[in-house]
Amino acid sequence: MRMARQRNDRPSTRSAQQGWSTGAQPLTRRLHRLTERTRSVDRRRPLVWDLHLTGAFVFAAMVDAAGGWRNVAFNDEVPLWLVVLMSLGFSLPLLWRRTHPLAVLLVMLPFALVNAASGAHLQASFLQMIAVYNIALRLPLRTLVWSFGTVLVPPAVGASVYPVGSWDQQFVPMLDSFALVALLGLVVRSRKEYLASLVERARQLEIERDQQAQLAAAAERARIAREMHDIIGHNLSVITGLADGGAYAAAGSPHRAAQALEAIGTTSRQALTELRRLLDVLREEAETRPVAELAPQPDLTDLDGLVERVSEAGLPVGLTVEGTPGTLPAGKQLTVYRVVQEALTNTLKHGGPSASATVDVRYAADGVTVTVTDTGDTPSTFADPGSGPGRGLTGMRERTALYGGTLEAGPLCRPGGGWRVRLSLPKETDQ
């Protein structure tokens, strides 16, 4: 089945690379390829292309000057040298038709006047239309209007010198040619400008896509950094407290030291489990696993275990819960858990040996409110040593802002110091 799918995909892949649907006619594709090859030569070597094309125009003009011009001339006695000179005057300036089309048309004007006044009526005079085409393609519209008058002056001179037949026999062919060529140039110009606008729009969309991807990657890195900070920082603080307590109790109470070591092992294993689940999210094969298996998302039922671990690490913590949580979203439960975890971790780090903490959780009809208060000797700084101030507090505020909540953190105005963190999450933002 896989091989069959690959064989069936090949035509559509080639078609997509060529920019054509599978319904495009073979002749259309051949013409498109031929046009692209010609444009490629023009882009790589524009001077070579201009020389060859101008040479073709000169050759055609000289073929007409060899004698064919007498079939339509009003005066077939014009000297040959003048015919050759006028033929070259109409064809050679076309070498600069793309860079200076108006100048090319003005250079042709004297030869067109001589052509009309002498009665030679050379077919090479229609090469002026190539300059008109480039004016319509590249220059402002008012320049095209001025060129209209420039092109019609020679037929007016010819009609006055050689009034052969009706007046429209000399004006109408030149007028029709000018209108057709000018319209063709404007159409090609509009198409090029439209394609350029599409390319620019695609470029802007690509830039916006890259910016959105960068913003999403930065947001994901920030989220992972918060999770890593909360998981590793909290568990290492608990392990440090347990290790210090175990070392103190080792000499006088080996039993208590053994309990501290057992608690260290339990906390370490839990930290490794949460860290492993978090790191699994970054693996490519993690997409095939259930999301619940990958994302470490503690909820409010884990607050008891959190308080117990912190208490075992040497920080007495009291937990009070009022009301019922109801159907609080998992994301808000994780936010409450992480804020309580970070607050207790910082108290454990900075509160001093005699510190204690209380956690009050209140569920109401308009949301949930959590207050963590400690009685440390010095206020908590919510900073990681050596990493700059405010990282823990910044992470708590970022989590709170995701759900439109408020977070207040600061020292208590009472003897002995202390610190309080108050989190409020409204119910109205539930999805």
Side-chain angles (χ1 to χ4, degrees), residues 49-59 91-95 97:
W49 174 259
D50 288 341
L51 287 173
H52 280 80
L53 196 59
T54 303
F57 292 141
V58 171
F59 177 77
S91 56
L92 284 179
L94 292 178
L95 181 62
R97 70 192 184 282

Side-chain angles (χ1 to χ4, degrees), residues 213-344:
Q214 293 175 1
L215 292 175
E220 185 65 13
R221 286 195 297 268
R223 186 190 69 82
I224 294 175
R226 286 197 301 268
E227 293 292 337
M228 296 282 287
H229 174 272
D230 293 340
I231 293 172
I232 297 177
H234 168 74
N235 287 285
L236 287 180
S237 298
V238 172
I239 291 173
T240 300
L242 291 171
D244 292 342
Y248 177 79
S253 179
H255 176 67
R256 296 292 298 274
Q259 291 179 345
L261 292 175
E262 183 179 355
I264 289 174
T266 303
T267 304
S268 301
R269 284 189 293 271
Q270 182 179 3
L272 288 175
T273 300
E274 293 187 2
L275 187 60
R276 187 179 297 113
R277 289 176 179 175
L278 179 62
L279 295 178
D280 281 345
V281 180
L282 305 178
R283 297 179 181 174
E284 295 180 356
E285 65 271 21
E287 298 178 357
T288 60
R289 302 182 182 178
V291 175
E293 180 185 348
L294 299 178
Q297 295 188 355
D299 53 27
L300 296 177
T301 59
D302 297 316
L303 285 178
D304 291 333
L306 174 64
V307 169
E308 182 180 354
R309 290 194 301 273
V310 174
S311 299
E312 291 178 352
L315 175 65
V317 182
L319 176 62
T320 303
V321 179
E322 296 182 9
T324 57
T327 57
L328 196 66
K332 286 190 173 183
Q333 294 190 42
L334 177 62
T335 298
V336 171
Y337 180 90
R338 293 303 188 196
V339 168
V340 173
Q341 182 186 58
E342 180 64 23
L344 294 179

Side-chain angles (χ1 to χ4, degrees), residues 170-239:
Q170 298 189 42
F171 276 97
V172 172
M174 186 63 71
L175 181 61
D176 290 344
S177 301
F178 179 89
L180 181 61
V181 171
L183 181 60
L184 178 62
L186 292 175
V187 169
V188 174
R189 178 177 186 166
S190 300
R191 181 176 179 272
K192 285 186 175 182
E193 292 177 351
Y194 177 69
L195 291 177
S197 66
L198 292 181
V199 172
E200 177 63 19
R201 177 59 178 166
R203 189 184 69 85
Q204 292 292 337
L205 291 176
E206 185 177 357
I207 293 175
E208 293 177 3
R209 181 199 64 189
D210 295 340
Q211 290 176 345
Q212 292 294 332
Q214 293 175 1
L215 292 175
E220 185 65 13
R221 286 195 297 268
R223 186 190 69 82
I224 294 175
R226 286 197 301 268
E227 293 292 337
M228 296 282 287
H229 174 272
D230 293 340
I231 293 172
I232 297 177
H234 168 74
N235 287 285
L236 287 180
S237 298
V238 172
I239 291 173

Side-chain angles (χ1 to χ4, degrees), residues 117-192:
S118 64
H121 200 59
L122 297 179
Q123 299 299 309
S125 63
F126 284 95
L127 292 177
Q128 297 175 89
M129 296 301 105
I130 297 178
V132 171
Y133 170 81
N134 284 271
I135 290 174
L137 184 64
R138 295 178 171 84
L139 298 183
L141 185 60
R142 62 179 179 272
T143 307
L144 181 63
V145 175
W146 283 107
S147 66
F148 175 75
T150 303
V151 170
L152 291 185
V153 169
V157 173
S160 62
V161 176
Y162 296 95
V164 180
S166 61
W167 64 273
D168 58 346
Q169 290 182 356
Q170 298 189 42
F171 276 97
V172 172
M174 186 63 71
L175 181 61
D176 290 344
S177 301
F178 179 89
L180 181 61
V181 171
L183 181 60
L184 178 62
L186 292 175
V187 169
V188 174
R189 178 177 186 166
S190 300
R191 181 176 179 272
K192 285 186 175 182

Side-chain angles (χ1 to χ4, degrees), residues 17 28 43 45 56 89 107 111 120 126 152 194 291 315 356 381 405:
Q17 292 174 351
T28 304
R43 286 191 297 266
R45 298 180 178 86
V107 169
F111 297 97
F126 284 95
L152 291 185
Y194 177 69
V291 175
L315 175 65
S356 62
T381 63

Side-chain angles (χ1 to χ4, degrees), residues 64-82:
D64 183 59
W69 63 277
R70 291 188 174 89
N71 296 326
V72 294
F74 298 141
N75 179 16
D76 57 359
E77 296 180 357
V78 179
L80 180 60
W81 66 267
L82 184 58

